[in-house]
Amino acid sequence: MAERGRLVAGARAYGLIAGMWIRSTMAYRASFVMTTFGSFAATFFDFVAIMLMFSRVRALGGWTLPEVAFLYGLSAVSFGLADLVIGSMDRLGKRLRDGTLDALLVRPAPILAQVAADRFALRRLGRVTQGSLVLGWALTRLDVDWSVGRLLLMPVALLAGCGIFCAVFVAGAAFQFVAQDAAEVQNAFTYGGTTLLQYPPTVFGRELVRGVTFVLPLAFVNWLPASYILGRPYPLDLPGWVAWTTPLVAVGCCALAGLAWRAGLRSYRSTGS
């Protein structure tokens, strides 16, 4: 019951803080529209780079443009949702250095909820929108034999992928309690991770694919679900049922990230620790 109460309190605190930042953002609607479009355009050029590659080749690692666009869309939407919800975690290092985290510690609200909702940026919807458009375009170009299982796996993969990226954000923030200036290291696994997943696993070495499957399980965001939906061979010759373990992997990642966060928070001794 106590754990449930903390979750409810955290969700309420997050909603109140995020709502405050949304109201602040919407007070300047022209600025909001421009920054959202800027976020959309910046991520759109990532896909333009992929399209330019396919102007010279017919397949990339054996994957066609619509198939790569499907990978891109799954990764971009999952990461965009996580970045929208919890992307402010990469600001923790700055709070640790200037001591402003101490102000959050005295408030009657869970620290994780406060840090996650801090400076909630509604403009990040531009990334989600762009990824959704690419995903929609890919689905219109692919000839998929849609079964009940494949239809069900689509929303499951997007939500579980969001959960996995959220766990990476939290774990990266927990690491900053030790390093105190590791935002770039954290970004290498969050922003760098989604960039990696935009390309098929067949273009990478087996050791790297093993690493993002069994160590940092980013492959469960899109490589494995996409292989099941598209009927392609799985990376590393994994069995067919592995794609359905994506929600379990997301839950496990979130649980481990929560333990890392608690350990990091317990080690904090204010500015200079």
mmCIF file of all heavy atoms in Angstrom, residues 90-128:
data_model
loop_
_atom_site.group_PDB
_atom_site.id
_atom_site.type_symbol
_atom_site.label_atom_id
_atom_site.label_comp_id
_atom_site.label_asym_id
_atom_site.label_seq_id
_atom_site.Cartn_x
_atom_site.Cartn_y
_atom_site.Cartn_z
ATOM 1 N N ASP A 90 18.017 14.475 -18.288
ATOM 2 C CA ASP A 90 19.415 14.784 -18.599
ATOM 3 C C ASP A 90 19.862 16.112 -18.005
ATOM 4 O O ASP A 90 21.043 16.472 -18.074
ATOM 5 C CB ASP A 90 19.670 14.756 -20.108
ATOM 6 C CG ASP A 90 18.808 15.764 -20.867
ATOM 7 O OD1 ASP A 90 18.081 16.539 -20.212
ATOM 8 O OD2 ASP A 90 18.860 15.765 -22.111
ATOM 9 N N ARG A 91 18.943 16.861 -17.383
ATOM 10 C CA ARG A 91 19.302 18.099 -16.696
ATOM 11 C C ARG A 91 19.768 17.862 -15.269
ATOM 12 O O ARG A 91 20.183 18.811 -14.586
ATOM 13 C CB ARG A 91 18.095 19.055 -16.674
ATOM 14 C CG ARG A 91 17.676 19.570 -18.039
ATOM 15 C CD ARG A 91 16.422 20.425 -17.938
ATOM 16 N NE ARG A 91 16.517 21.416 -16.875
ATOM 17 C CZ ARG A 91 17.108 22.588 -17.012
ATOM 18 N NH1 ARG A 91 17.669 22.916 -18.169
ATOM 19 N NH2 ARG A 91 17.147 23.450 -16.024
ATOM 20 N N LEU A 92 19.714 16.617 -14.822
ATOM 21 C CA LEU A 92 20.057 16.339 -13.430
ATOM 22 C C LEU A 92 21.501 16.715 -13.115
ATOM 23 O O LEU A 92 21.798 17.217 -12.016
ATOM 24 C CB LEU A 92 19.819 14.856 -13.118
ATOM 25 C CG LEU A 92 20.143 14.438 -11.682
ATOM 26 C CD1 LEU A 92 19.209 15.138 -10.699
ATOM 27 C CD2 LEU A 92 20.032 12.924 -11.519
ATOM 28 N N GLY A 93 22.419 16.462 -14.054
ATOM 29 C CA GLY A 93 23.821 16.792 -13.806
ATOM 30 C C GLY A 93 24.013 18.254 -13.468
ATOM 31 O O GLY A 93 24.786 18.601 -12.565
ATOM 32 N N LYS A 94 23.314 19.142 -14.182
ATOM 33 C CA LYS A 94 23.408 20.576 -13.897
ATOM 34 C C LYS A 94 22.879 20.882 -12.507
ATOM 35 O O LYS A 94 23.457 21.698 -11.768
ATOM 36 C CB LYS A 94 22.628 21.361 -14.951
ATOM 37 C CG LYS A 94 22.719 22.876 -14.808
ATOM 38 C CD LYS A 94 21.974 23.572 -15.924
ATOM 39 C CE LYS A 94 22.141 25.095 -15.828
ATOM 40 N NZ LYS A 94 21.606 25.646 -14.562
ATOM 41 N N ARG A 95 21.784 20.247 -12.116
ATOM 42 C CA ARG A 95 21.234 20.462 -10.775
ATOM 43 C C ARG A 95 22.208 19.983 -9.696
ATOM 44 O O ARG A 95 22.308 20.594 -8.630
ATOM 45 C CB ARG A 95 19.898 19.747 -10.632
ATOM 46 C CG ARG A 95 18.732 20.448 -11.322
ATOM 47 C CD ARG A 95 17.411 19.857 -10.893
ATOM 48 N NE ARG A 95 16.278 20.610 -11.390
ATOM 49 C CZ ARG A 95 15.779 21.697 -10.808
ATOM 50 N NH1 ARG A 95 16.355 22.156 -9.707
ATOM 51 N NH2 ARG A 95 14.739 22.319 -11.306
ATOM 52 N N LEU A 96 22.899 18.900 -9.961
ATOM 53 C CA LEU A 96 23.856 18.393 -8.987
ATOM 54 C C LEU A 96 25.023 19.361 -8.813
ATOM 55 O O LEU A 96 25.523 19.558 -7.699
ATOM 56 C CB LEU A 96 24.381 17.018 -9.425
ATOM 57 C CG LEU A 96 23.367 15.873 -9.407
ATOM 58 C CD1 LEU A 96 23.964 14.627 -10.054
ATOM 59 C CD2 LEU A 96 22.937 15.560 -7.974
ATOM 60 N N ARG A 97 25.446 19.959 -9.914
ATOM 61 C CA ARG A 97 26.601 20.862 -9.848
ATOM 62 C C ARG A 97 26.263 22.193 -9.187
ATOM 63 O O ARG A 97 27.071 22.743 -8.438
ATOM 64 C CB ARG A 97 27.172 21.098 -11.254
ATOM 65 C CG ARG A 97 27.785 19.877 -11.887
ATOM 66 C CD ARG A 97 28.568 20.244 -13.149
ATOM 67 N NE ARG A 97 27.752 20.941 -14.134
ATOM 68 C CZ ARG A 97 26.989 20.333 -15.031
ATOM 69 N NH1 ARG A 97 26.931 19.008 -15.047
ATOM 70 N NH2 ARG A 97 26.274 21.028 -15.909
ATOM 71 N N ASP A 98 25.074 22.731 -9.485
ATOM 72 C CA ASP A 98 24.761 24.056 -8.923
ATOM 73 C C ASP A 98 23.968 23.986 -7.620
ATOM 74 O O ASP A 98 23.634 25.024 -7.034
ATOM 75 C CB ASP A 98 24.030 24.925 -9.946
ATOM 76 C CG ASP A 98 22.698 24.330 -10.394
ATOM 77 O OD1 ASP A 98 22.122 23.508 -9.672
ATOM 78 O OD2 ASP A 98 22.220 24.707 -11.494
ATOM 79 N N GLY A 99 23.636 22.760 -7.165
ATOM 80 C CA GLY A 99 22.993 22.608 -5.869
ATOM 81 C C GLY A 99 21.493 22.796 -5.864
ATOM 82 O O GLY A 99 20.868 22.744 -4.799
ATOM 83 N N THR A 100 20.867 22.995 -7.013
ATOM 84 C CA THR A 100 19.420 23.234 -7.040
ATOM 85 C C THR A 100 18.608 21.971 -6.775
ATOM 86 O O THR A 100 17.407 22.064 -6.538
ATOM 87 C CB THR A 100 18.996 23.840 -8.387
ATOM 88 O OG1 THR A 100 19.451 23.003 -9.457
ATOM 89 C CG2 THR A 100 19.591 25.229 -8.564
ATOM 90 N N LEU A 101 19.271 20.808 -6.804
ATOM 91 C CA LEU A 101 18.532 19.591 -6.451
ATOM 92 C C LEU A 101 18.101 19.626 -4.994
ATOM 93 O O LEU A 101 17.077 19.035 -4.636
ATOM 94 C CB LEU A 101 19.388 18.352 -6.717
ATOM 95 C CG LEU A 101 18.712 17.010 -6.441
ATOM 96 C CD1 LEU A 101 17.551 16.777 -7.398
ATOM 97 C CD2 LEU A 101 19.705 15.851 -6.556
ATOM 98 N N ASP A 102 18.853 20.321 -4.155
ATOM 99 C CA ASP A 102 18.514 20.397 -2.733
ATOM 100 C C ASP A 102 17.134 21.006 -2.520
ATOM 101 O O ASP A 102 16.410 20.620 -1.599
ATOM 102 C CB ASP A 102 19.563 21.227 -1.995
ATOM 103 C CG ASP A 102 20.927 20.563 -1.987
ATOM 104 O OD1 ASP A 102 21.063 19.516 -2.641
ATOM 105 O OD2 ASP A 102 21.846 21.090 -1.341
ATOM 106 N N ALA A 103 16.765 21.956 -3.389
ATOM 107 C CA ALA A 103 15.443 22.581 -3.255
ATOM 108 C C ALA A 103 14.329 21.568 -3.512
ATOM 109 O O ALA A 103 13.249 21.660 -2.917
ATOM 110 C CB ALA A 103 15.322 23.764 -4.210
ATOM 111 N N LEU A 104 14.588 20.601 -4.390
ATOM 112 C CA LEU A 104 13.575 19.583 -4.671
ATOM 113 C C LEU A 104 13.443 18.587 -3.526
ATOM 114 O O LEU A 104 12.373 18.028 -3.297
ATOM 115 C CB LEU A 104 13.926 18.836 -5.966
ATOM 116 C CG LEU A 104 14.120 19.675 -7.232
ATOM 117 C CD1 LEU A 104 14.328 18.766 -8.443
ATOM 118 C CD2 LEU A 104 12.945 20.612 -7.468
ATOM 119 N N LEU A 105 14.544 18.364 -2.815
ATOM 120 C CA LEU A 105 14.543 17.371 -1.745
ATOM 121 C C LEU A 105 13.638 17.760 -0.582
ATOM 122 O O LEU A 105 13.159 16.894 0.154
ATOM 123 C CB LEU A 105 15.971 17.151 -1.241
ATOM 124 C CG LEU A 105 16.930 16.456 -2.207
ATOM 125 C CD1 LEU A 105 18.354 16.507 -1.690
ATOM 126 C CD2 LEU A 105 16.504 15.016 -2.444
ATOM 127 N N VAL A 106 13.431 19.054 -0.390
ATOM 128 C CA VAL A 106 12.623 19.496 0.749
ATOM 129 C C VAL A 106 11.148 19.607 0.393
ATOM 130 O O VAL A 106 10.330 19.918 1.257
ATOM 131 C CB VAL A 106 13.140 20.852 1.285
ATOM 132 C CG1 VAL A 106 14.576 20.721 1.767
ATOM 133 C CG2 VAL A 106 13.035 21.946 0.225
ATOM 134 N N ARG A 107 10.809 19.368 -0.856
ATOM 135 C CA ARG A 107 9.404 19.429 -1.249
ATOM 136 C C ARG A 107 8.714 18.100 -0.962
ATOM 137 O O ARG A 107 9.324 17.039 -1.092
ATOM 138 C CB ARG A 107 9.284 19.761 -2.735
ATOM 139 C CG ARG A 107 9.782 21.152 -3.104
ATOM 140 C CD ARG A 107 9.732 21.358 -4.602
ATOM 141 N NE ARG A 107 10.263 22.668 -5.002
ATOM 142 C CZ ARG A 107 10.460 23.038 -6.246
ATOM 143 N NH1 ARG A 107 10.167 22.192 -7.243
ATOM 144 N NH2 ARG A 107 10.950 24.235 -6.521
ATOM 145 N N PRO A 108 7.431 18.140 -0.601
ATOM 146 C CA PRO A 108 6.708 16.901 -0.273
ATOM 147 C C PRO A 108 6.219 16.174 -1.519
ATOM 148 O O PRO A 108 5.020 15.962 -1.709
ATOM 149 C CB PRO A 108 5.546 17.413 0.575
ATOM 150 C CG PRO A 108 5.271 18.782 0.025
ATOM 151 C CD PRO A 108 6.616 19.351 -0.346
ATOM 152 N N ALA A 109 7.157 15.830 -2.382
ATOM 153 C CA ALA A 109 6.815 15.125 -3.616
ATOM 154 C C ALA A 109 8.009 14.269 -4.020
ATOM 155 O O ALA A 109 9.157 14.631 -3.739
ATOM 156 C CB ALA A 109 6.469 16.105 -4.734
ATOM 157 N N PRO A 110 7.773 13.121 -4.664
ATOM 158 C CA PRO A 110 8.887 12.256 -5.082
ATOM 159 C C PRO A 110 9.865 12.998 -5.986
ATOM 160 O O PRO A 110 9.464 13.726 -6.906
ATOM 161 C CB PRO A 110 8.187 11.121 -5.830
ATOM 162 C CG PRO A 110 6.803 11.088 -5.265
ATOM 163 C CD PRO A 110 6.467 12.512 -4.963
ATOM 164 N N ILE A 111 11.154 12.810 -5.732
ATOM 165 C CA ILE A 111 12.194 13.515 -6.482
ATOM 166 C C ILE A 111 12.162 13.134 -7.955
ATOM 167 O O ILE A 111 12.315 13.981 -8.838
ATOM 168 C CB ILE A 111 13.583 13.212 -5.885
ATOM 169 C CG1 ILE A 111 13.617 13.616 -4.415
ATOM 170 C CG2 ILE A 111 14.672 13.941 -6.654
ATOM 171 C CD1 ILE A 111 13.343 15.074 -4.193
ATOM 172 N N LEU A 112 11.974 11.846 -8.254
ATOM 173 C CA LEU A 112 11.978 11.399 -9.645
ATOM 174 C C LEU A 112 10.899 12.106 -10.449
ATOM 175 O O LEU A 112 11.135 12.549 -11.583
ATOM 176 C CB LEU A 112 11.787 9.884 -9.709
ATOM 177 C CG LEU A 112 11.770 9.258 -11.106
ATOM 178 C CD1 LEU A 112 13.075 9.560 -11.842
ATOM 179 C CD2 LEU A 112 11.543 7.753 -11.027
ATOM 180 N N ALA A 113 9.711 12.249 -9.869
ATOM 181 C CA ALA A 113 8.614 12.920 -10.568
ATOM 182 C C ALA A 113 8.948 14.387 -10.807
ATOM 183 O O ALA A 113 8.671 14.941 -11.879
ATOM 184 C CB ALA A 113 7.325 12.800 -9.767
ATOM 185 N N GLN A 114 9.575 15.034 -9.820
ATOM 186 C CA GLN A 114 9.920 16.446 -9.967
ATOM 187 C C GLN A 114 10.974 16.661 -11.052
ATOM 188 O O GLN A 114 10.864 17.570 -11.868
ATOM 189 C CB GLN A 114 10.444 16.993 -8.638
ATOM 190 C CG GLN A 114 9.413 17.029 -7.520
ATOM 191 C CD GLN A 114 9.980 17.705 -6.284
ATOM 192 O OE1 GLN A 114 10.245 18.904 -6.290
ATOM 193 N NE2 GLN A 114 10.157 16.942 -5.227
ATOM 194 N N VAL A 115 12.001 15.816 -11.056
ATOM 195 C CA VAL A 115 13.071 15.963 -12.047
ATOM 196 C C VAL A 115 12.554 15.651 -13.443
ATOM 197 O O VAL A 115 12.876 16.335 -14.419
ATOM 198 C CB VAL A 115 14.264 15.057 -11.689
ATOM 199 C CG1 VAL A 115 15.334 15.114 -12.775
ATOM 200 C CG2 VAL A 115 14.860 15.462 -10.347
ATOM 201 N N ALA A 116 11.712 14.600 -13.557
ATOM 202 C CA ALA A 116 11.199 14.192 -14.868
ATOM 203 C C ALA A 116 10.295 15.251 -15.479
ATOM 204 O O ALA A 116 10.308 15.473 -16.698
ATOM 205 C CB ALA A 116 10.457 12.869 -14.743
ATOM 206 N N ALA A 117 9.509 15.919 -14.647
ATOM 207 C CA ALA A 117 8.550 16.907 -15.158
ATOM 208 C C ALA A 117 9.147 18.303 -15.268
ATOM 209 O O ALA A 117 8.507 19.199 -15.837
ATOM 210 C CB ALA A 117 7.322 16.953 -14.256
ATOM 211 N N ASP A 118 10.358 18.485 -14.737
ATOM 212 C CA ASP A 118 10.978 19.807 -14.754
ATOM 213 C C ASP A 118 11.138 20.305 -16.197
ATOM 214 O O ASP A 118 11.648 19.585 -17.057
ATOM 215 C CB ASP A 118 12.339 19.737 -14.069
ATOM 216 C CG ASP A 118 13.023 21.088 -14.013
ATOM 217 O OD1 ASP A 118 12.335 22.079 -13.738
ATOM 218 O OD2 ASP A 118 14.249 21.139 -14.246
ATOM 219 N N ARG A 119 10.681 21.524 -16.463
ATOM 220 C CA ARG A 119 10.767 22.125 -17.808
ATOM 221 C C ARG A 119 10.163 21.210 -18.878
ATOM 222 O O ARG A 119 10.756 20.984 -19.939
ATOM 223 C CB ARG A 119 12.214 22.489 -18.144
ATOM 224 C CG ARG A 119 12.801 23.531 -17.212
ATOM 225 C CD ARG A 119 14.161 24.000 -17.653
ATOM 226 N NE ARG A 119 14.670 25.014 -16.747
ATOM 227 C CZ ARG A 119 14.393 26.320 -16.819
ATOM 228 N NH1 ARG A 119 13.605 26.750 -17.787
ATOM 229 N NH2 ARG A 119 14.887 27.185 -15.955
ATOM 230 N N PHE A 120 9.007 20.656 -18.569
ATOM 231 C CA PHE A 120 8.289 19.785 -19.506
ATOM 232 C C PHE A 120 8.146 20.506 -20.841
ATOM 233 O O PHE A 120 7.578 21.596 -20.924
ATOM 234 C CB PHE A 120 6.919 19.430 -18.943
ATOM 235 C CG PHE A 120 6.143 18.467 -19.785
ATOM 236 C CD1 PHE A 120 6.262 17.107 -19.590
ATOM 237 C CD2 PHE A 120 5.283 18.925 -20.780
ATOM 238 C CE1 PHE A 120 5.532 16.212 -20.362
ATOM 239 C CE2 PHE A 120 4.566 18.044 -21.558
ATOM 240 C CZ PHE A 120 4.688 16.682 -21.348
ATOM 241 N N ALA A 121 8.680 19.901 -21.893
ATOM 242 C CA ALA A 121 8.759 20.579 -23.202
ATOM 243 C C ALA A 121 7.741 19.979 -24.168
ATOM 244 O O ALA A 121 7.982 18.925 -24.766
ATOM 245 C CB ALA A 121 10.172 20.459 -23.772
ATOM 246 N N LEU A 122 6.620 20.661 -24.319
ATOM 247 C CA LEU A 122 5.580 20.178 -25.217
ATOM 248 C C LEU A 122 6.035 20.212 -26.672
ATOM 249 O O LEU A 122 5.479 19.511 -27.514
ATOM 250 C CB LEU A 122 4.317 21.025 -25.035
ATOM 251 C CG LEU A 122 3.001 20.438 -25.555
ATOM 252 C CD1 LEU A 122 2.683 19.132 -24.852
ATOM 253 C CD2 LEU A 122 1.868 21.441 -25.342
ATOM 254 N N ARG A 123 7.065 21.002 -26.969
ATOM 255 C CA ARG A 123 7.574 21.079 -28.346
ATOM 256 C C ARG A 123 8.102 19.732 -28.825
ATOM 257 O O ARG A 123 8.238 19.507 -30.036
ATOM 258 C CB ARG A 123 8.697 22.112 -28.439
ATOM 259 C CG ARG A 123 9.968 21.722 -27.699
ATOM 260 C CD ARG A 123 11.082 22.731 -27.862
ATOM 261 N NE ARG A 123 12.302 22.290 -27.215
ATOM 262 C CZ ARG A 123 12.577 22.456 -25.937
ATOM 263 N NH1 ARG A 123 11.700 23.069 -25.157
ATOM 264 N NH2 ARG A 123 13.714 22.010 -25.425
ATOM 265 N N ARG A 124 8.411 18.825 -27.904
ATOM 266 C CA ARG A 124 8.929 17.512 -28.286
ATOM 267 C C ARG A 124 7.880 16.676 -29.011
ATOM 268 O O ARG A 124 8.202 15.607 -29.539
ATOM 269 C CB ARG A 124 9.432 16.770 -27.052
ATOM 270 C CG ARG A 124 10.698 17.392 -26.463
ATOM 271 C CD ARG A 124 11.041 16.817 -25.111
ATOM 272 N NE ARG A 124 12.281 17.383 -24.601
ATOM 273 C CZ ARG A 124 12.613 17.415 -23.319
ATOM 274 N NH1 ARG A 124 11.786 16.925 -22.396
ATOM 275 N NH2 ARG A 124 13.755 17.945 -22.923
ATOM 276 N N LEU A 125 6.650 17.149 -29.032
ATOM 277 C CA LEU A 125 5.629 16.484 -29.847
ATOM 278 C C LEU A 125 6.019 16.499 -31.318
ATOM 279 O O LEU A 125 5.542 15.675 -32.098
ATOM 280 C CB LEU A 125 4.273 17.172 -29.663
ATOM 281 C CG LEU A 125 3.498 16.849 -28.380
ATOM 282 C CD1 LEU A 125 2.271 17.738 -28.268
ATOM 283 C CD2 LEU A 125 3.110 15.378 -28.354
ATOM 284 N N GLY A 126 6.866 17.449 -31.714
ATOM 285 C CA GLY A 126 7.322 17.488 -33.105
ATOM 286 C C GLY A 126 8.042 16.215 -33.496
ATOM 287 O O GLY A 126 7.860 15.696 -34.605
ATOM 288 N N ARG A 127 8.858 15.666 -32.588
ATOM 289 C CA ARG A 127 9.564 14.414 -32.862
ATOM 290 C C ARG A 127 8.584 13.251 -32.983
ATOM 291 O O ARG A 127 8.711 12.401 -33.872
ATOM 292 C CB ARG A 127 10.581 14.132 -31.758
ATOM 293 C CG ARG A 127 11.368 12.854 -31.952
ATOM 294 C CD ARG A 127 12.244 12.566 -30.733
ATOM 295 N NE ARG A 127 13.325 13.524 -30.601
ATOM 296 C CZ ARG A 127 14.510 13.398 -31.188
ATOM 297 N NH1 ARG A 127 14.762 12.351 -31.963
ATOM 298 N NH2 ARG A 127 15.445 14.305 -30.993
ATOM 299 N N VAL A 128 7.599 13.215 -32.085
ATOM 300 C CA VAL A 128 6.601 12.140 -32.127
ATOM 301 C C VAL A 128 5.793 12.208 -33.419
ATOM 302 O O VAL A 128 5.533 11.186 -34.068
ATOM 303 C CB VAL A 128 5.666 12.229 -30.905
ATOM 304 C CG1 VAL A 128 4.613 11.116 -30.946
ATOM 305 C CG2 VAL A 128 6.461 12.142 -29.608
#
